[in-house]
Amino acid sequence: MTAITTQEFSGTGTILNPATGAVAGEVHWTDPADVPTIAEGLRKAQREWEQRGAKGRAKALARFAVWLGEHRDEIEELLIKETGKSAVDAAQEVPLLIMILAYVVKTMEKALAPESRPAALPFLAIKKITVHYRPRPVVGIIAPWNYPVANALMDAIGALAAGCAVLLKPSERTPLTAEVLRRGWLESGAPDVLALAQGARDVSEAVIDNADFVQFTGSSATGRKVMERAARRLTPVSLELGGKDPMIVCDDADIELAAHAAVWGAMFNAGQTCVSVERVYVLEPVYDQFVEAVVRDVKALRVGGDGHFGALIDEGQRAVTERHVADAKAKGARVLTGGQVPDGPGSFYPPTVLVDVDHSMACMTEETFGPTLPIMKVGSVVEAIRLANDSEYGLSASVFSRDVERAKDIALQLDCGAVNINDVISNLMCTTAPMGGWKASGIGARFGGADGMRKYCRVETVVAPRTNLGAGGNYYHNSLKALARMNRMMTKMALARPRRTAK
């Protein structure tokens, strides 16, 4: 079962619920030829949006947060229909956006204010140096299907706060909730600086060609294509790409906590999360205890709309999960739970625990994006670190140990953008810190406090005189003697050593 009935992406398309096959809604696909006109309209509206200043924009964003809270039930109902999520998983997205909005509204004025910079040398103190953050007119956001509400707006919020207009291209698999979000933006009284472009690859390319900055979330393979396309116009990009996040369980870990975390981190949203737990390395002394606890927890899970997690987005994604499990079994892995496609409608896959795995298996090296949990026994922390780093990906990781300092030491040896200690996925909530990947997991970062807004800006330095004294000291109209004197003074001051403080 696929979520889309049309293959042409022209005119109107029908979106199906991947869990039931029922019609979730209709979408009007955007003609790629219309994208330049949409972008030009955004550029015109952006000028007034920028001129409102941070205070004015904060008021609009605050009203939008209220609207989201008031319409949460409507958004989640549609979210479940177009993704096949469970109600438990769908309930996470709107609160995350409201949390981000609350933080941004409180901090954006200070984050975007001009900054004074000191003079490098005393004689340059006659100049006043100010760095200004000027918004890029149109930010193109190409969003994924796994979190069509949160991923669509968690990046848009920073861009809108910065004073940019946003051209959002939702995934063609999940285009419906984006329509509701845009409606809410306008109904909350905000200006028309948030537009949609609905469609597939050709529409994405048009967005890239007409944006001044591109934020993309998706697979590493597609991220490379986005970057290549953007390079034609030297358009800057930020890419949040795939992951194969490792979890290390030390021999002194709280095993119950680690097991609960592994199961939730692997199965949440049917495993369709970029920072989900995709492979676990457990120290030998606690391996059996950990596996037993994980299997117990997984067997208690319920799959379905009223269960812990719902369907995979489509049959294609389920086929990837099936292939990884079959490959592991063929190479000697054992399946302790799940591992077989259930009868009945919908692209469901049962929560699956795999043991006796190694890095010859796709389940340990390729991104699965499904509800599987492969667990590998290791003899030492050194081996666990080596295996965790033996990956083309480097998005995030987790380390479990009762000794937090030991866990921190391990964390700083892992090649990834974020590490959670005695927890999983929690870095996604830390909007004051950057969320970015290493290696094939991305370039740049989302969030990051002030940087999460400033990344959508161009930096402009303004150098103004504090006084006319000394202006033009090195101009051509001065005598050679005066120029030589000026050069000697600059060299002497630049090379001068700081005075030692008397003891």
Side-chain angles (χ1 to χ4, degrees):
M1 180 186 303
T2 58
I4 308 169
T5 60
T6 178
Q7 298 299 317
E8 296 298 327
F9 297 102
S10 61
T12 301
T14 301
I15 307 301
L16 302 181
N17 183 331
T20 65
V23 173
E26 305 287 329
V27 60
H28 178 76
W29 303 118
T30 302
D31 187 332
D34 292 337
V35 172
T37 302
I38 297 171
E40 184 56 32
L42 287 172
R43 290 183 198 283
K44 293 177 181 178
Q46 183 270 336
R47 295 169 193 156
E48 185 274 332
W49 179 238
E50 178 183 359
Q51 290 170 1
R52 289 191 181 197
K55 282 186 178 180
R57 296 195 296 272
K59 292 179 181 178
L61 289 166
R63 290 194 297 268
F64 183 47
V66 172
W67 189 94
L68 288 172
E70 293 174 344
H71 292 78
R72 178 179 172 183
D73 290 345
E74 175 191 355
I75 296 168
E76 290 176 1
E77 181 180 353
L78 182 57
L79 182 62
I80 292 169
K81 287 181 180 179
E82 77 170 341
T83 64
K85 288 178 185 277
S86 69
V88 172
D89 287 343
Q92 309 289 322
E93 299 199 38
V94 173
L96 176 61
L97 290 181
I98 294 174
M99 181 189 75
I100 296 170
L101 279 162
Y103 170 74
V104 167
V105 165
K106 292 176 183 177
T107 61
M108 57 188 286
E109 185 177 4
K110 181 178 179 181
L112 298 167
E115 291 184 339
S116 295
R117 299 291 173 89
L121 295 170
F123 78 90
L124 289 176
I126 61 173
K127 302 295 186 182
K128 183 177 182 181
I129 307 167
T130 311
V131 175
H132 297 258
Y133 297 95
R134 301 281 306 281
R136 298 180 187 275
V138 176
V139 170
I141 295 178
I142 303 175
W145 48 262
N146 57 334
Y147 294 98
V149 173
N151 267 324
L153 285 187
M154 65 170 59
D155 296 305
I157 289 168
L160 291 166
C164 312
V166 170
L167 178 52
L168 171 62
K169 207 296 287 186
S171 170
E172 63 274 18
R173 292 168 169 174
T174 54
L176 302 178
T177 43
E179 301 280 356
V180 176
L181 296 175
R182 171 173 153 74
R183 190 194 87 210
W185 176 255
L186 298 176
E187 286 183 357
S188 65
D192 200 358
V193 290
L194 174 61
L196 300 181
Q198 299 279 24
R201 178 175 176 174
D202 51 356
V203 175
S204 293
E205 291 175 346
V207 169
I208 296 167
D209 292 346
N210 289 276
D212 304 298
F213 185 100
V214 176
Q215 170 68 51
F216 171 78
T217 303
S219 72
S220 301
T222 305
R224 292 183 177 95
K225 295 176 182 178
V226 169
M227 190 172 185
E228 180 181 358
R229 183 95 186 186
R232 299 179 185 182
R233 296 174 52 244
L234 294 180
T235 302
V237 300
S238 178
L239 309 176
E240 203 269 286
L241 307 177
K244 190 69 181 176
D245 288 10
M247 175 177 174
I248 296 175
V249 181
C250 296
D251 49 4
D252 64 344
D254 180 334
I255 297 304
E256 284 295 305
L257 174 64
H260 295 329
V263 173
W264 183 78
M267 307 303 170
F268 178 72
N269 203 41
Q272 300 172 123
T273 304
C274 58
V275 291
S276 65
V277 175
E278 289 232 1
R279 51 196 171 113
V280 186
Y281 304 99
V282 187
L283 270 291
E284 186 172 3
V286 295
Y287 174 82
D288 290 338
Q289 182 185 355
F290 176 81
V291 170
E292 182 181 355
V294 163
V295 170
R296 177 203 64 208
D297 281 5
V298 168
K299 287 183 175 179
L301 295 179
R302 302 186 317 277
V303 181
D306 60 348
H308 293 93
F309 65 86
L312 294 168
I313 191 64
D314 58 24
E315 291 178 353
Q317 193 58 45
R318 184 168 70 176
V320 173
T321 307
E322 287 184 84
R323 176 173 64 83
H324 284 191
V325 172
D327 172 76
K329 289 169 63 177
K331 293 175 180 176
R334 290 186 294 129
V335 178
L336 301 186
T337 67
Q340 293 185 338
V341 176
D343 295 330
S347 50
F348 291 96
Y349 196 85
T352 300
V353 177
L354 298 165
V355 294
D356 299 338
V357 294
D358 58 45
H359 279 217
S360 70
M361 303 172 185
C363 70
M364 294 295 283
T365 58
E366 298 177 16
E367 186 174 33
T368 305
F369 234 54
T372 62
L373 185 57
I375 306 171
M376 184 173 177
K377 183 192 300 183
V378 293
S380 68
V381 169
V382 172
E383 183 185 7
I385 294 170
R386 178 181 64 78
L387 290 168
N389 288 337
D390 180 24
S391 173
E392 65 174 318
Y393 298 105
L395 194 54
S396 68
S398 55
V399 179
F400 282 76
S401 170
R402 294 181 190 272
D403 184 341
V404 174
E405 292 304 315
R406 180 192 189 195
K408 286 181 181 178
D409 180 67
I410 295 170
L412 292 175
Q413 298 178 65
L414 299 178
D415 299 336
C416 59
V419 180
N420 298 292
I421 294 175
N422 293 333
D423 202 355
V424 294
I425 306 181
S426 58
N427 63 292
L428 188 60
M429 307 294 180
C430 301
T431 57
T432 59
M435 178 190 170
W438 294 14
K439 299 187 281 189
S441 288
I443 292 175
R446 58 165 49 113
F447 306 144
D451 290 339
M453 292 171 264
R454 290 175 180 172
K455 81 174 193 178
Y456 297 112
C457 297
R458 294 169 291 192
V459 179
E460 182 176 0
T461 299
V462 177
V463 182
R466 296 182 186 274
T467 173
N468 288 329
L469 181 66
N474 58 344
Y475 289 178
Y476 289 131
H477 72 279
N478 289 297
S479 67
L480 293 177
K481 186 176 180 180
L483 289 174
R485 186 167 57 248
M486 171 68 74
N487 287 334
R488 285 196 302 272
M489 181 184 70
M490 291 172 62
T491 302
K492 183 177 181 180
M493 296 180 71
L495 296 177
R497 294 181 179 179
R499 294 181 180 180
R500 293 183 178 179
T501 304
K503 294 183 180 179

